[in-house]
Amino acid sequence: MNLIETLALPVLFIWFVGLLLSLFRKDLEPHWKFFFFLVFCFYMVQFFPEFWEGVGRFKLNPKQELLGWISALANTTYVFLFFLWPLVLIRIYYSASNNLSKSLIPAMAYGTVIYWALFFLWTYYSKEFNDWLHQIILK
């Protein structure tokens, strides 16, 4: 099973929640709400087979599926940070507001360091961590 097959269900669910929340905002113009809806529909159609397989796996064994999501999200975050950092650095340079830079820099720096610490602890203690997760989730 690849990463898209594993993460299609949780990502599309989170996306759906975000879409609903954005539809209820009064300060967003209707054409943006419609655009958000179209983008969601595009990805829902694009990844519907993986989404539906995820629903089936979740119905069969929700605890095992949850463990798969945790592992896949951790690996995806590692790669996502690799792509996000250069974009953030360019955004910080071109930002007209010092407040954005002052809030974005610490958030990215602390978030990345915390993620790295957790990732390397998980890598070093993967057997113990996996046993602990299995005890908590699979009970």
Side-chain angles (χ1 to χ4, degrees):
M1 180 170 26
N2 65 27
L3 202 56
I4 293 294
E5 291 172 346
T6 304
L7 290 178
L9 175 60
V11 169
L12 286 170
F13 177 74
I14 292 168
W15 196 317
F16 178 73
V17 170
L19 177 64
L20 281 179
L21 292 174
S22 69
L23 291 177
F24 287 112
R25 282 195 57 159
K26 294 179 182 178
D27 60 340
L28 284 176
E29 297 170 359
H31 67 277
W32 289 121
K33 293 177 182 182
F34 183 69
F35 179 75
F36 299 157
F37 177 74
L38 286 179
V39 171
F40 172 77
C41 288
F42 171 80
Y43 282 114
M44 188 65 180
V45 169
Q46 182 72 30
F47 295 111
F48 186 77
E50 291 85 1
F51 170 78
W52 199 245
E53 287 175 21
V55 169
R57 284 192 313 271
F58 188 77
K59 285 180 180 178
L60 289 175
N61 194 351
K63 294 178 180 180
Q64 191 64 36
E65 188 68 12
L66 184 63
L67 288 173
W69 294 350
I70 292 170
S71 176
L73 283 173
N75 292 332
T76 304
T77 303
Y78 191 78
V79 174
F80 178 70
L81 286 172
F82 176 70
F83 289 110
L84 184 63
W85 264 104
L87 298 174
V88 166
L89 293 174
I90 292 169
R91 176 68 176 116
I92 288 169
Y93 176 77
Y94 283 110
S95 176
S97 166
N98 271 346
N99 291 335
L100 175 69
S101 296
K102 288 180 182 179
S103 62
L104 189 59
I105 291 169
M108 284 295 295
Y110 295 139
T112 301
V113 169
I114 289 169
Y115 174 78
W116 283 348
L118 292 174
F119 183 81
F120 288 120
L121 282 173
W122 178 77
T123 302
Y124 189 72
Y125 296 107
S126 62
K127 182 185 180 322
E128 293 86 354
F129 184 70
N130 286 334
D131 291 343
W132 178 73
L133 270 179
H134 280 84
Q135 286 176 354
I136 290 175
I137 294 177
L138 295 179
K139 275 191 173 180

